[in-house]
Amino acid sequence: MSAENAKRVGIVGAGQLGRMLALAGYPLGLRFVFLDKSKDAPGGQVGEIILGEFGDAEKLRELSEHVDVVTFDVENVPVEAVREGVTRPFRPSVDLLEKAQDRLLEKQLFQSLDIPTPPFAPVDSLADLRAAVEEIGLPAVLKTRRLGYDGKGQRVLREGADLEPAFKELGSVPLILEGFVNFEREVSIIGVRSVSGEARFYPLSENTHREGILRYSVAPFEDRTLQGLAERHIERLLNTFDYAGVLTIEFFVADGKLIANEIAPRVHNSGHWTIEGAVTSQFENHIRAILDLPLGDTTPMGHSAMVNFIGTMPAVEDVLDIPGAHYHSYGKEPRPGRKLGHATLTSQSRTELMMRLEHLLNLAAE
Ligand code: AMP
């Protein structure tokens, strides 16, 4: 196959996820073109960037015309612009993307598919908020319905006096109130389904957040009952939307049960461990799925832990000094709270992995 007739994949957003998708796709003989508003975005290191806003239908059309299939690495792609501008198959699913962009629609979707959620209610006024607190009780979490990520746009309400200030801080946009889940742990499942309907699932990953941002993940989280349940939940979503690509559901585990928090209709930070820790990575499987290639084996190879580098990057030498460590720098300018890179540890022994993880977490401390 010559470079001229290599298949081309368009990615809306040239962040680290897009960069890792391209890195996984090159061995398959593919080429990548991104749409991003910044010429310095990480994807620019591994593909051409068309400069433009995600919501610019003309730019989405231009991207489409360069490629065979369009996917995305960010969730805040305006769906009207996608429907208007994208002239090639847009995968995984514009319909599920639309639901995932609005926490209320997302929760209603979970409910309609019998996937348990915390109690929730829409909030558009202070009176709504008082009524919702009456019904749901405190503590509770008030969140913006749209454009919240990494813990942004949310406030925990603990007592009556918290309501008005939280509403004022978040207030002029549609909100949702959720019951506060006293969770034992947070886990996520990543599933992948191809255009022709083949589906596979990765083992659950256990995720630790601080200030709403994922700090580290350990996989596999071995619990056969929860694994089976999570697979049934995600399979229902994949099939309902005739989905093609990788999908993630984040869950709380409370009283030994799964409670869905949110979905990401894309590759996910809690699946970065699959690059070195699974037979086929989430990134390669996403690419295979959207091009309708046979999916790869999702079996884990031993135990893995992934640590995010947020705000600062540790020295590469220090990380690589840990046996079994793999270093990923996204080539981004350091900024407080910004995900700049990650490292993955793999080991055949869980005990050994946890010891090395402690070391890596010390290096990653901001
Ligand atoms: P989110 O942006 O909704 O994923 O929230 C980020 C993090 O905030 C989650 O991973 C949890 O650690 C915490 N969180 C969000 N919603 C709730 C909730 N209803 N109850 C308890 N913790 C929550």
Side-chain angles (χ1 to χ4, degrees), residues 103 141 143 151 154 178-181 183 186 209 212 252 261-262:
R103 292 184 190 275
V141 190
K143 301 181 178 179
Q154 51 181 282
E178 293 176 16
F180 186 90
V181 180
F183 56 82
E186 293 186 81
H209 296 81
F252 303 116
N261 177 27
E262 61 178 356

Side-chain angles (χ1 to χ4, degrees), residues 103 106-107 118-119 139-143 148-154 156 177-183 186 207-214 250-252 259-263 268:
R103 292 184 190 275
E106 184 179 54
K107 292 252 161 20
V141 190
L142 186 63
K143 301 181 178 179
Y149 67 97
D150 283 349
K152 294 193 175 70
Q154 51 181 282
V156 177
L177 186 75
E178 293 176 16
F180 186 90
V181 180
N182 220 338
F183 56 82
E186 293 186 81
N207 309 319
T208 302
H209 296 81
R210 203 172 66 241
E211 288 146 6
I213 306 182
L214 179 66
E250 293 183 79
F251 295 101
F252 303 116
I259 299 173
N261 177 27
E262 61 178 356
I263 47 179
H268 194 255

Side-chain angles (χ1 to χ4, degrees), residues 79-100:
V79 291
E80 309 74 38
V82 168
R83 290 191 173 115
E84 189 190 328
V86 174
T87 56
R88 296 281 185 273
F90 182 81
R91 293 178 182 145
S93 156
V94 70
D95 295 333
L96 188 53
L97 175 62
E98 190 168 29
K99 307 264 190 216

Side-chain angles (χ1 to χ4, degrees), residues 13-332:
Q16 63 266 21
L17 301 178
R19 182 175 177 269
M20 288 186 270
L21 283 168
L23 290 172
Y26 276 112
L28 299 173
L30 306 170
R31 294 290 179 272
F32 291 84
V33 185
F34 299 91
L35 173 66
D36 202 287
K37 58 184 186 300
S38 163
K39 65 176 180 22
D40 302 321
Q45 299 156 23
V46 293
E48 179 200 341
I49 297 184
I50 295 173
L51 284 175
E53 298 289 332
F54 304 145
D56 184 338
E58 270 315 306
K59 288 288 176 185
L60 288 165
R61 191 183 315 274
E62 186 185 334
L63 174 71
S64 307
E65 277 154 17
H66 282 79
V67 300
D68 300 282
V69 59
V70 179
T71 188
F72 52 90
D73 92 333
V74 279
E75 263 165 77
N76 57 345
V77 184
V79 291
E80 309 74 38
V82 168
R83 290 191 173 115
E84 189 190 328
V86 174
T87 56
R88 296 281 185 273
F90 182 81
R91 293 178 182 145
S93 156
V94 70
D95 295 333
L96 188 53
L97 175 62
E98 190 168 29
K99 307 264 190 216
Q101 288 176 346
D102 182 326
R103 292 184 190 275
L104 179 66
L105 300 184
E106 184 179 54
K107 292 252 161 20
Q108 288 168 338
L109 172 66
F110 285 141
Q111 236 176 10
S112 73
L113 295 175
D114 281 332
I115 302 173
T117 68
F120 63 91
V123 170
D124 294 310
S125 65
L126 194 53
D128 284 355
L129 178 58
R130 292 196 205 289
V133 166
E134 220 22 58
E135 187 190 315
I136 291 170
L138 292 176
V141 190
L142 186 63
K143 301 181 178 179
T144 56
R145 278 174 55 180
R146 301 179 63 84
L147 297 177
Y149 67 97
D150 283 349
K152 294 193 175 70
Q154 51 181 282
R155 297 285 180 280
V156 177
L157 311 180
R158 298 195 183 276
E159 50 183 38
D162 295 339
L163 272 58
E164 207 170 324
F167 182 79
K168 283 202 173 130
E169 277 166 43
L170 299 176
S172 46
V173 293
L175 304 172
I176 181 171
L177 186 75
E178 293 176 16
F180 186 90
V181 180
N182 220 338
F183 56 82
E184 288 130 34
R185 46 173 52 100
E186 293 186 81
V187 299
S188 57
I189 185 148
I190 294 179
V192 56
R193 182 179 184 276
S194 72
V195 174
S196 40
E198 182 190 1
R200 296 196 185 227
F201 310 100
Y202 288 92
L204 287 168
S205 153
E206 179 169 3
N207 309 319
T208 302
H209 296 81
R210 203 172 66 241
E211 288 146 6
I213 306 182
L214 179 66
R215 303 294 157 156
Y216 64 95
S217 294
V218 179
F221 172 67
E222 286 166 322
D223 181 316
R224 286 176 71 159
T225 311
L226 294 185
Q227 180 73 33
L229 207 53
E231 288 185 11
R232 284 200 292 285
H233 291 331
I234 200 165
E235 191 165 30
R236 234 171 290 146
L237 275 165
L238 292 172
N239 292 337
T240 303
F241 287 86
D242 201 15
Y243 196 88
V246 159
L247 173 66
T248 310
I249 314 184
E250 293 183 79
F251 295 101
F252 303 116
V253 181
D255 295 328
K257 297 198 176 69
L258 290 179
I259 299 173
N261 177 27
E262 61 178 356
I263 47 179
R266 54 163 171 77
V267 286
H268 194 255
N269 196 171
S270 66
H272 290 1
W273 66 270
T274 62
I275 297 177
E276 293 91 4
V279 175
T280 314
S281 77
Q282 62 163 347
F283 299 100
E284 182 172 341
N285 260 337
H286 182 76
I287 298 290
R288 291 190 191 203
I290 63 174
L291 291 170
D292 206 18
L293 295 167
L295 296 181
D297 190 348
T298 49
T299 307
M301 299 185 295
H303 299 270
S304 299
M306 186 284 319
V307 174
N308 272 335
F309 300 139
I310 297 163
T312 59
M313 287 295 288
V316 61
E317 298 80 358
D318 294 343
V319 173
L320 296 185
D321 211 27
I322 306 175
H326 301 268
Y327 185 84
H328 296 254
S329 168
Y330 309 146
K332 287 158 86 172

